[in-house]
Amino acid sequence: MLRSRVIPCLLVQDGGLVKTVKFKDSKYVGDPINAVRIFNEKEADELIVLDIDASVNNAEPDYKMIEHLAKECRMPLCYGGGIKTLAHAEKIVTLGVEKVALSSVVFDQPSLIVEIANKIGRQSVVVVLDVKKKTLSSNYNVWTLNGRHNMKKNVVDVIQQVQNLGVGEIILNFIDFDGTEAGYPVKVIQQLKSDIEVPLTIMGGAKSLEDMGGAVEQCGLMGVAAGSLFVFKGKYRAVLINYPERQQKEEFIYGK
Amino acid sequence: MITIIDYGLGNIQAFLNIYKKLHIPVQVAKSENDLEGASKLILPGVGHFDYAMQRFNDSGMRGEVESLVLQNNVPVLGVCVGMQIMANSSEEGVESGLGWIGGTIKSLESIVKVGNNLPLPHMGWNSVTPNHKDLFNNIDSGDLEFYFLHSYYFDCTSQENCIASTDYSSNFCCAVNNKNIFGVQFHPEKSHHFGVNLLKNFAELGVC
């Protein structure tokens, strides 16, 4: 049986690993390569690495860093940040990355999804949607550039659009839950997921494996991703890279 | 020596790292000359069928690889699209495959009723039921799991060529074999200890 994926998401800024709260107040938490080594030892299901500076600074992906990460990484790796062209995506795949994640670029040039899917295959094209609830409405809008720019587009429409273009996975990142450890917004996820026919990964708010299990129980097969949960430990949020043992995943997530 | 065919697709470094850790000699071939001394071949791949065929054809290595595999019976392991291009053709594209193992690459949509709990691509860790001793030797079949990332599968002309299957609402063939030619749909290079064992088994296979 296909299992729900339990995925650490690492944010990179200035070559270092950081963790944010609601996309702000980034705190340095260590060296990305060191984190990858720990997740290798723990046999993590997958890894997402997002360079949160690249698009904001309008910079190309940092290929040296990506190459180092891919060389070290013994689990499937999804990289996002600064990918603006087919050539960028191709180069990243040849460095040994399994999946490339696009974000703001899908609004400027939606056809890039089609172009990349035709070359490297649909299974390797991921779209990350940073979403935030509209004030006085139950709808969620998509934001870009680290939550600074409101695209004023309803996430439901964007999901439909990127699916039609042939995306291989959708990652929903809930801005207001990022780093808060307040639990995933399960009800919204449930609604959004009913229209999604590609693999979905959710991110933002997980404080425990129980949160992940609860989301899987209510929403079905999914990728459940988290940052804080896998880089901090305890109420004082001491930096400690961690990942559950297989038995824990079985107990809290797989059976749900 | 185990030789990884680098035609610009797939995670070459991941295979290298695993074999280096196992202290098994390994090399990378980027051109025909590099194939000298190859006693086992790995044909990796990530991507679109046509793109993989074009890159392999343009690599300048196809002729020598085919003579090693088809005439000298050098064992070869195709991974993901590296396995798919061993078929005759694919529904994903228009290029001809290598035709090393009879079959067609078909869309999983033909056997899976796609929906929000059965999404496509088939992505993540899934159980594998093997019926081949050598390649899956010493891997605990109780919870044998590998990482998958694909939308197409190998539909073998002869069921004898299917050596493992996976269940995704329907069973599909996830590993193929014809004499010295092996292929797996999943990614052993990204499947932690399960994958390491499989790659070790491939390295230790007797020459057919």
Side-chain angles (χ1 to χ4, degrees), chain A residues 123-143:
Chain A
Q123 78 293 328
S124 296
V125 189
V126 178
V127 167
V128 182
L129 300 175
D130 299 333
V131 300
K132 194 172 184 164
K133 193 173 150 313
K134 283 171 75 175
T135 328
L136 306 174
S137 160
S138 58
N139 290 340
Y140 275 69
N141 270 352
V142 178
W143 291 60

PDB file of all heavy atoms in Angstrom, chain A residues 123-143:
ATOM      1  N   GLN A 123       6.098  13.909 -13.333  1.00  0.00           N
ATOM      2  CA  GLN A 123       6.284  13.476 -11.943  1.00  0.00           C
ATOM      3  C   GLN A 123       7.312  14.323 -11.203  1.00  0.00           C
ATOM      4  O   GLN A 123       7.374  14.301  -9.988  1.00  0.00           O
ATOM      5  CB  GLN A 123       6.673  11.994 -11.903  1.00  0.00           C
ATOM      6  CG  GLN A 123       8.127  11.661 -12.231  1.00  0.00           C
ATOM      7  CD  GLN A 123       8.503  11.934 -13.683  1.00  0.00           C
ATOM      8  OE1 GLN A 123       7.682  11.810 -14.577  1.00  0.00           O
ATOM      9  NE2 GLN A 123       9.743  12.325 -13.912  1.00  0.00           N
ATOM     10  N   SER A 124       8.113  15.071 -11.941  1.00  0.00           N
ATOM     11  CA  SER A 124       9.172  15.854 -11.304  1.00  0.00           C
ATOM     12  C   SER A 124       8.850  17.345 -11.188  1.00  0.00           C
ATOM     13  O   SER A 124       9.700  18.122 -10.786  1.00  0.00           O
ATOM     14  CB  SER A 124      10.484  15.678 -12.086  1.00  0.00           C
ATOM     15  OG  SER A 124      10.901  14.338 -12.013  1.00  0.00           O
ATOM     16  N   VAL A 125       7.629  17.729 -11.563  1.00  0.00           N
ATOM     17  CA  VAL A 125       7.265  19.150 -11.517  1.00  0.00           C
ATOM     18  C   VAL A 125       6.310  19.417 -10.351  1.00  0.00           C
ATOM     19  O   VAL A 125       5.196  18.902 -10.315  1.00  0.00           O
ATOM     20  CB  VAL A 125       6.584  19.604 -12.827  1.00  0.00           C
ATOM     21  CG1 VAL A 125       6.424  21.119 -12.820  1.00  0.00           C
ATOM     22  CG2 VAL A 125       7.370  19.152 -14.031  1.00  0.00           C
ATOM     23  N   VAL A 126       6.781  20.216  -9.413  1.00  0.00           N
ATOM     24  CA  VAL A 126       6.011  20.506  -8.200  1.00  0.00           C
ATOM     25  C   VAL A 126       5.664  21.997  -8.196  1.00  0.00           C
ATOM     26  O   VAL A 126       6.482  22.817  -8.606  1.00  0.00           O
ATOM     27  CB  VAL A 126       6.873  20.179  -6.959  1.00  0.00           C
ATOM     28  CG1 VAL A 126       6.130  20.501  -5.675  1.00  0.00           C
ATOM     29  CG2 VAL A 126       7.328  18.727  -6.987  1.00  0.00           C
ATOM     30  N   VAL A 127       4.449  22.322  -7.753  1.00  0.00           N
ATOM     31  CA  VAL A 127       4.128  23.736  -7.534  1.00  0.00           C
ATOM     32  C   VAL A 127       3.868  23.953  -6.043  1.00  0.00           C
ATOM     33  O   VAL A 127       3.086  23.221  -5.431  1.00  0.00           O
ATOM     34  CB  VAL A 127       2.914  24.185  -8.383  1.00  0.00           C
ATOM     35  CG1 VAL A 127       2.394  25.537  -7.907  1.00  0.00           C
ATOM     36  CG2 VAL A 127       3.300  24.273  -9.853  1.00  0.00           C
ATOM     37  N   VAL A 128       4.571  24.927  -5.480  1.00  0.00           N
ATOM     38  CA  VAL A 128       4.351  25.291  -4.078  1.00  0.00           C
ATOM     39  C   VAL A 128       3.442  26.511  -4.042  1.00  0.00           C
ATOM     40  O   VAL A 128       3.757  27.538  -4.640  1.00  0.00           O
ATOM     41  CB  VAL A 128       5.681  25.661  -3.371  1.00  0.00           C
ATOM     42  CG1 VAL A 128       5.417  25.990  -1.900  1.00  0.00           C
ATOM     43  CG2 VAL A 128       6.691  24.532  -3.476  1.00  0.00           C
ATOM     44  N   LEU A 129       2.306  26.389  -3.357  1.00  0.00           N
ATOM     45  CA  LEU A 129       1.396  27.525  -3.233  1.00  0.00           C
ATOM     46  C   LEU A 129       1.372  27.984  -1.784  1.00  0.00           C
ATOM     47  O   LEU A 129       0.979  27.232  -0.886  1.00  0.00           O
ATOM     48  CB  LEU A 129      -0.015  27.122  -3.691  1.00  0.00           C
ATOM     49  CG  LEU A 129      -0.138  26.654  -5.152  1.00  0.00           C
ATOM     50  CD1 LEU A 129      -1.560  26.170  -5.442  1.00  0.00           C
ATOM     51  CD2 LEU A 129       0.259  27.765  -6.124  1.00  0.00           C
ATOM     52  N   ASP A 130       1.848  29.215  -1.570  1.00  0.00           N
ATOM     53  CA  ASP A 130       1.794  29.812  -0.238  1.00  0.00           C
ATOM     54  C   ASP A 130       0.423  30.457  -0.088  1.00  0.00           C
ATOM     55  O   ASP A 130       0.089  31.366  -0.854  1.00  0.00           O
ATOM     56  CB  ASP A 130       2.889  30.875  -0.084  1.00  0.00           C
ATOM     57  CG  ASP A 130       4.280  30.275  -0.257  1.00  0.00           C
ATOM     58  OD1 ASP A 130       4.451  29.074   0.015  1.00  0.00           O
ATOM     59  OD2 ASP A 130       5.202  31.021  -0.658  1.00  0.00           O
ATOM     60  N   VAL A 131      -0.357  29.992   0.858  1.00  0.00           N
ATOM     61  CA  VAL A 131      -1.746  30.454   0.930  1.00  0.00           C
ATOM     62  C   VAL A 131      -2.073  31.074   2.282  1.00  0.00           C
ATOM     63  O   VAL A 131      -1.491  30.731   3.314  1.00  0.00           O
ATOM     64  CB  VAL A 131      -2.747  29.304   0.623  1.00  0.00           C
ATOM     65  CG1 VAL A 131      -2.510  28.761  -0.776  1.00  0.00           C
ATOM     66  CG2 VAL A 131      -2.643  28.185   1.651  1.00  0.00           C
ATOM     67  N   LYS A 132      -3.028  31.997   2.239  1.00  0.00           N
ATOM     68  CA  LYS A 132      -3.413  32.750   3.423  1.00  0.00           C
ATOM     69  C   LYS A 132      -4.913  33.025   3.331  1.00  0.00           C
ATOM     70  O   LYS A 132      -5.411  33.387   2.261  1.00  0.00           O
ATOM     71  CB  LYS A 132      -2.636  34.071   3.399  1.00  0.00           C
ATOM     72  CG  LYS A 132      -2.638  34.851   4.665  1.00  0.00           C
ATOM     73  CD  LYS A 132      -1.643  36.007   4.462  1.00  0.00           C
ATOM     74  CE  LYS A 132      -1.501  36.805   5.720  1.00  0.00           C
ATOM     75  NZ  LYS A 132      -0.305  37.654   5.671  1.00  0.00           N
ATOM     76  N   LYS A 133      -5.587  32.889   4.477  1.00  0.00           N
ATOM     77  CA  LYS A 133      -7.034  33.120   4.508  1.00  0.00           C
ATOM     78  C   LYS A 133      -7.333  34.608   4.293  1.00  0.00           C
ATOM     79  O   LYS A 133      -6.657  35.467   4.845  1.00  0.00           O
ATOM     80  CB  LYS A 133      -7.585  32.675   5.862  1.00  0.00           C
ATOM     81  CG  LYS A 133      -9.089  32.570   5.914  1.00  0.00           C
ATOM     82  CD  LYS A 133      -9.493  31.966   7.249  1.00  0.00           C
ATOM     83  CE  LYS A 133     -10.842  32.420   7.740  1.00  0.00           C
ATOM     84  NZ  LYS A 133     -11.145  33.833   7.696  1.00  0.00           N
ATOM     85  N   LYS A 134      -8.341  34.862   3.481  1.00  0.00           N
ATOM     86  CA  LYS A 134      -8.745  36.252   3.265  1.00  0.00           C
ATOM     87  C   LYS A 134      -9.468  36.760   4.507  1.00  0.00           C
ATOM     88  O   LYS A 134     -10.175  35.991   5.170  1.00  0.00           O
ATOM     89  CB  LYS A 134      -9.704  36.353   2.072  1.00  0.00           C
ATOM     90  CG  LYS A 134      -9.020  36.260   0.732  1.00  0.00           C
ATOM     91  CD  LYS A 134     -10.026  36.146  -0.383  1.00  0.00           C
ATOM     92  CE  LYS A 134     -10.708  37.475  -0.688  1.00  0.00           C
ATOM     93  NZ  LYS A 134     -11.606  37.339  -1.864  1.00  0.00           N
ATOM     94  N   THR A 135      -9.293  38.050   4.788  1.00  0.00           N
ATOM     95  CA  THR A 135     -10.015  38.624   5.925  1.00  0.00           C
ATOM     96  C   THR A 135     -11.514  38.593   5.619  1.00  0.00           C
ATOM     97  O   THR A 135     -11.922  38.855   4.486  1.00  0.00           O
ATOM     98  CB  THR A 135      -9.566  40.090   6.126  1.00  0.00           C
ATOM     99  OG1 THR A 135      -8.203  40.178   5.741  1.00  0.00           O
ATOM    100  CG2 THR A 135      -9.712  40.515   7.564  1.00  0.00           C
ATOM    101  N   LEU A 136     -12.307  38.254   6.625  1.00  0.00           N
ATOM    102  CA  LEU A 136     -13.761  38.215   6.489  1.00  0.00           C
ATOM    103  C   LEU A 136     -14.254  37.340   5.346  1.00  0.00           C
ATOM    104  O   LEU A 136     -15.224  37.645   4.671  1.00  0.00           O
ATOM    105  CB  LEU A 136     -14.331  39.633   6.305  1.00  0.00           C
ATOM    106  CG  LEU A 136     -13.940  40.661   7.362  1.00  0.00           C
ATOM    107  CD1 LEU A 136     -14.441  42.053   6.985  1.00  0.00           C
ATOM    108  CD2 LEU A 136     -14.483  40.269   8.735  1.00  0.00           C
ATOM    109  N   SER A 137     -13.557  36.243   5.127  1.00  0.00           N
ATOM    110  CA  SER A 137     -13.982  35.311   4.089  1.00  0.00           C
ATOM    111  C   SER A 137     -13.392  33.957   4.429  1.00  0.00           C
ATOM    112  O   SER A 137     -12.394  33.885   5.148  1.00  0.00           O
ATOM    113  CB  SER A 137     -13.476  35.780   2.722  1.00  0.00           C
ATOM    114  OG  SER A 137     -13.485  34.695   1.815  1.00  0.00           O
ATOM    115  N   SER A 138     -14.013  32.903   3.942  1.00  0.00           N
ATOM    116  CA  SER A 138     -13.440  31.587   4.223  1.00  0.00           C
ATOM    117  C   SER A 138     -12.490  31.162   3.101  1.00  0.00           C
ATOM    118  O   SER A 138     -11.904  30.101   3.137  1.00  0.00           O
ATOM    119  CB  SER A 138     -14.551  30.553   4.398  1.00  0.00           C
ATOM    120  OG  SER A 138     -15.324  30.524   3.223  1.00  0.00           O
ATOM    121  N   ASN A 139     -12.363  32.012   2.090  1.00  0.00           N
ATOM    122  CA  ASN A 139     -11.495  31.669   0.961  1.00  0.00           C
ATOM    123  C   ASN A 139     -10.021  31.910   1.276  1.00  0.00           C
ATOM    124  O   ASN A 139      -9.686  32.773   2.081  1.00  0.00           O
ATOM    125  CB  ASN A 139     -11.865  32.495  -0.270  1.00  0.00           C
ATOM    126  CG  ASN A 139     -13.201  32.058  -0.828  1.00  0.00           C
ATOM    127  OD1 ASN A 139     -13.659  30.942  -0.550  1.00  0.00           O
ATOM    128  ND2 ASN A 139     -13.842  32.926  -1.578  1.00  0.00           N
ATOM    129  N   TYR A 140      -9.179  31.179   0.580  1.00  0.00           N
ATOM    130  CA  TYR A 140      -7.738  31.345   0.715  1.00  0.00           C
ATOM    131  C   TYR A 140      -7.160  31.913  -0.570  1.00  0.00           C
ATOM    132  O   TYR A 140      -7.505  31.464  -1.663  1.00  0.00           O
ATOM    133  CB  TYR A 140      -7.080  29.986   1.024  1.00  0.00           C
ATOM    134  CG  TYR A 140      -7.090  29.650   2.493  1.00  0.00           C
ATOM    135  CD1 TYR A 140      -8.282  29.362   3.142  1.00  0.00           C
ATOM    136  CD2 TYR A 140      -5.910  29.632   3.239  1.00  0.00           C
ATOM    137  CE1 TYR A 140      -8.304  29.069   4.495  1.00  0.00           C
ATOM    138  CE2 TYR A 140      -5.919  29.329   4.595  1.00  0.00           C
ATOM    139  CZ  TYR A 140      -7.113  29.052   5.212  1.00  0.00           C
ATOM    140  OH  TYR A 140      -7.129  28.764   6.549  1.00  0.00           O
ATOM    141  N   ASN A 141      -6.297  32.895  -0.423  1.00  0.00           N
ATOM    142  CA  ASN A 141      -5.604  33.465  -1.575  1.00  0.00           C
ATOM    143  C   ASN A 141      -4.172  32.957  -1.639  1.00  0.00           C
ATOM    144  O   ASN A 141      -3.601  32.577  -0.624  1.00  0.00           O
ATOM    145  CB  ASN A 141      -5.557  34.990  -1.474  1.00  0.00           C
ATOM    146  CG  ASN A 141      -6.762  35.626  -2.140  1.00  0.00           C
ATOM    147  OD1 ASN A 141      -7.552  34.943  -2.804  1.00  0.00           O
ATOM    148  ND2 ASN A 141      -6.916  36.925  -1.971  1.00  0.00           N
ATOM    149  N   VAL A 142      -3.612  33.002  -2.845  1.00  0.00           N
ATOM    150  CA  VAL A 142      -2.215  32.630  -3.022  1.00  0.00           C
ATOM    151  C   VAL A 142      -1.345  33.876  -2.929  1.00  0.00           C
ATOM    152  O   VAL A 142      -1.673  34.916  -3.508  1.00  0.00           O
ATOM    153  CB  VAL A 142      -1.995  31.951  -4.394  1.00  0.00           C
ATOM    154  CG1 VAL A 142      -0.528  31.604  -4.586  1.00  0.00           C
ATOM    155  CG2 VAL A 142      -2.854  30.700  -4.511  1.00  0.00           C
ATOM    156  N   TRP A 143      -0.262  33.776  -2.162  1.00  0.00           N
ATOM    157  CA  TRP A 143       0.704  34.865  -2.007  1.00  0.00           C
ATOM    158  C   TRP A 143       2.037  34.407  -2.590  1.00  0.00           C
ATOM    159  O   TRP A 143       2.292  33.204  -2.687  1.00  0.00           O
ATOM    160  CB  TRP A 143       0.881  35.240  -0.528  1.00  0.00           C
ATOM    161  CG  TRP A 143      -0.326  35.903   0.072  1.00  0.00           C
ATOM    162  CD1 TRP A 143      -1.583  35.379   0.180  1.00  0.00           C
ATOM    163  CD2 TRP A 143      -0.384  37.214   0.636  1.00  0.00           C
ATOM    164  NE1 TRP A 143      -2.434  36.277   0.775  1.00  0.00           N
ATOM    165  CE2 TRP A 143      -1.719  37.417   1.075  1.00  0.00           C
ATOM    166  CE3 TRP A 143       0.544  38.237   0.823  1.00  0.00           C
ATOM    167  CZ2 TRP A 143      -2.141  38.610   1.677  1.00  0.00           C
ATOM    168  CZ3 TRP A 143       0.143  39.419   1.437  1.00  0.00           C
ATOM    169  CH2 TRP A 143      -1.197  39.607   1.847  1.00  0.00           C
TER     170      TRP A 143
END
